[in-house]
Amino acid sequence: MDVASINTRLGRVASADSRELDRVCEEVAAELIDADVEPPFRVPSADFATDPWLICADRYWRRRLLHQPTVEVAARCARWLHDHTDPPVRPDIIEKWSLGYAFITKDTVESRHDLTLATGRIVETFQGSTDICYFATLYHAGKLRANFWFDELHQFLESSLLAVAAGQHRDDPLFTGLRAFAAFGSRTITTSHALELLDTAWSAAPRSRAVVDVCLNALWAAPPFPGQGEQLRRHAAEAVAEYPDDHLFRFRLASGQRMCGDYTDALATIDTALRLLPAIGARISHELLQGQYLRERATILEGLDRAAWTSDQQTRWLDQDTANRDLRRTLQTSAIRAVELVTVFTAAIAFAVGSLQITLTGTLPLRDRALLLVLLGAGLLLFALLTVAGTWIITGRHHPGPRTTPPDPGGTQR
């Protein structure tokens, strides 16, 4: 093919609108595929929005891997990328391509046997290049991540020949982030170890967007653990501050806010994510993401309704508890009053009967009879006072039951 004409066509659409840019890049990529020729131009930048050469190369390798989704084709893509880009722009493209192509081919995971054979051919063909093996490792790991095969991902990253052949790249933040993703989902690895791996990847400097994405994805996809919502909300808020126009990070933040019960903030955040989601480029990606965001929005709305219902129920519970306390207090007071009344009435009757007997019978002098009446009245009064005091003590009049708090039905949600 005529390299000059390709460069001319791509250069002509460099300043065109996004849809025209996509159309021309797709056409050129399709022509290269039909001619069985790899892109014959260099990629000058890592600008996936406006660089036509990068966009065209991306469309080309996307088609190649959709047609033949193997680590060997991924290795050839890595070789082409190494030969047609300068080192400063290469890392961002490596991370975006390897994980992006893995996602769109996640339904074609190679078996362990096929992967071992392919690894031998890659090492032999590319003379053990750690950069190429690293790209192929990311590609296969990305498939396992996209399918949420946590234990398989952990085993692959820790012991596969392809991952071992990545050499020094095993210490790269993205590799560590993928290890954290596998650890969070594994049932055999502790959450504390997964958090340690996450912190190591997150605190790397410089920290790429792909690392941020994998770390947030790890927290979002992990089985529930204590503090998960707060961890996701805190890290996602930091990511949004660093990448304010990234719709995916807004989505993660909305999920974290929902897990923490901040439904109002979560609704505003997911609406922003939907607004930022671009409706251009590969339509299937837009539809998949939009569907996922809308499901999250529906869950948030359910949480809002549930929170409103819970608040209403708590108000009703508190009102009922107050009414019950008032009723208990009223019944208690009424019972005490009844005892007091019966006691006083009984004492009065006893005093009346006793005083009549003292007054109407016997031969005691008036002074002695008066003394007897005083002693009888004092005894009955003491009896009444002791009875009332005992009633107060038994019924706990001065110590009403403590006010209770309704149970909180809420909690961390996935």
Side-chain angles (χ1 to χ4, degrees):
M1 298 183 68
D2 187 357
V3 178
S5 69
I6 291 177
N7 284 326
T8 299
R9 291 168 63 187
L10 294 177
R12 193 178 296 131
V13 295
S15 57
D17 64 84
S18 59
R19 294 186 182 277
E20 178 65 12
L21 181 61
D22 276 351
R23 185 187 66 79
V24 172
C25 290
E26 283 284 2
E27 287 181 354
V28 174
E31 292 171 8
L32 291 170
I33 290 289
D34 292 340
D36 196 21
V37 175
E38 293 182 353
F41 48 76
R42 291 189 65 79
V43 173
S45 74
D47 186 351
F48 283 88
T50 62
D51 186 340
W53 290 274
L54 176 58
I55 296 172
C56 181
D58 180 38
R59 299 295 190 272
Y60 171 85
W61 287 108
R62 185 176 186 273
R63 286 172 173 263
R64 284 283 302 272
L65 282 160
L66 281 171
H67 176 68
Q68 193 177 1
T70 66
V71 292
E72 290 189 74
V73 175
R76 286 197 287 272
C77 174
R79 167 55 69 187
W80 181 92
L81 187 61
H82 185 273
D83 294 339
H84 292 81
T85 58
D86 295 326
V89 305
R90 199 175 299 152
D92 287 344
I93 301 175
I94 288 174
E95 294 181 345
K96 190 173 182 68
W97 278 11
S98 59
L99 297 181
Y101 298 151
F103 180 78
I104 63 175
T105 59
K106 62 182 179 180
D107 58 338
T108 58
V109 179
E110 294 169 81
S111 68
R112 185 179 303 178
H113 175 71
D114 291 342
L115 188 64
T116 301
L117 295 178
T119 299
R121 291 191 292 266
I122 290 172
V123 172
E124 181 180 357
T125 302
F126 300 106
Q127 300 178 348
S129 171
T130 56
D131 292 344
I132 293 174
C133 290
Y134 178 56
F135 187 101
T137 298
L138 292 180
Y139 174 70
H140 187 75
K143 288 184 179 182
L144 299 176
R145 169 205 173 200
N147 286 303
F148 302 103
W149 292 4
F150 300 105
D151 291 319
E152 291 83 353
L153 177 59
H154 171 71
Q155 185 177 12
F156 170 72
L157 293 175
E158 297 299 326
S159 60
S160 72
L161 295 177
L162 187 59
V164 171
Q168 74 277 7
H169 292 294
R170 292 170 61 85
D171 295 326
D172 286 4
L174 183 55
F175 195 97
T176 304
L178 288 168
R179 290 179 61 207
F181 182 92
F184 271 114
S186 175
R187 303 292 182 177
T188 61
I189 303 176
T190 63
T191 301
S192 60
H193 179 65
L195 286 171
E196 289 177 3
L197 292 171
L198 183 85
D199 290 340
T200 300
W202 190 265
S203 59
R207 183 180 62 204
S208 68
R209 183 201 172 280
V211 173
V212 174
D213 179 30
V214 169
C215 288
L216 294 181
N217 191 200
L219 289 170
W220 177 83
F225 64 88
Q228 179 183 16
E230 182 55 38
Q231 286 277 354
L232 180 56
R233 180 173 62 176
R234 179 169 59 85
H235 285 86
E238 188 176 337
V240 167
E242 187 175 355
Y243 302 93
D245 296 328
D246 196 300
H247 55 86
L248 182 58
F249 295 164
R250 296 271 181 177
F251 164 69
R252 302 295 187 210
L253 176 58
S255 298
Q257 290 168 332
R258 170 182 56 79
M259 292 180 188
C260 293
D262 298 336
Y263 298 111
T264 302
D265 290 341
L267 183 60
T269 302
I270 197 63
D271 285 343
T272 302
L274 284 164
R275 180 175 55 81
L276 292 173
L277 180 63
I280 60 173
R283 307 299 296 185
I284 186 172
S285 296
H286 173 268
E287 292 173 1
L288 285 174
L289 290 172
Q290 186 182 60
Q292 190 175 27
Y293 295 1
L294 289 174
R295 286 192 295 273
E296 177 65 32
R297 191 177 192 276
T299 304
I300 292 170
L301 289 174
E302 290 176 4
L304 274 172
D305 292 341
R306 187 165 53 251
W309 181 85
T310 300
S311 177
D312 180 66
Q313 291 299 109
Q314 287 180 334
T315 300
R316 291 173 181 267
W317 196 97
L318 290 173
D319 290 343
Q320 185 62 46
D321 180 61
T322 301
N324 291 340
R325 285 168 55 84
D326 292 341
L327 179 60
R328 286 196 300 271
R329 189 179 295 109
T330 300
L331 292 175
Q332 184 183 59
T333 302
S334 299
I336 293 174
R337 291 282 184 260
V339 171
E340 292 172 350
L341 182 61
V342 170
T343 301
V344 171
F345 185 71
T346 301
I349 293 176
F351 180 77
V353 173
S355 63
L356 285 175
Q357 291 179 345
I358 294 173
T359 303
L360 299 177
T361 60
T363 58
L364 292 175
L366 179 61
R367 181 177 179 180
D368 293 340
R369 293 181 181 182
L371 180 60
L372 287 174
L373 289 175
V374 170
L375 292 175
L376 176 62
L380 292 174
L381 178 62
L382 179 61
F383 164 75
L385 291 175
L386 289 175
T387 302
V388 171
T391 303
W392 283 20
I393 294 173
I394 293 172
T395 58
R397 176 163 181 167
H398 298 292
H399 303 282
R403 186 183 184 92
T404 57
T405 302
D408 181 9
T412 301
Q413 305 174 44
R414 277 286 294 114

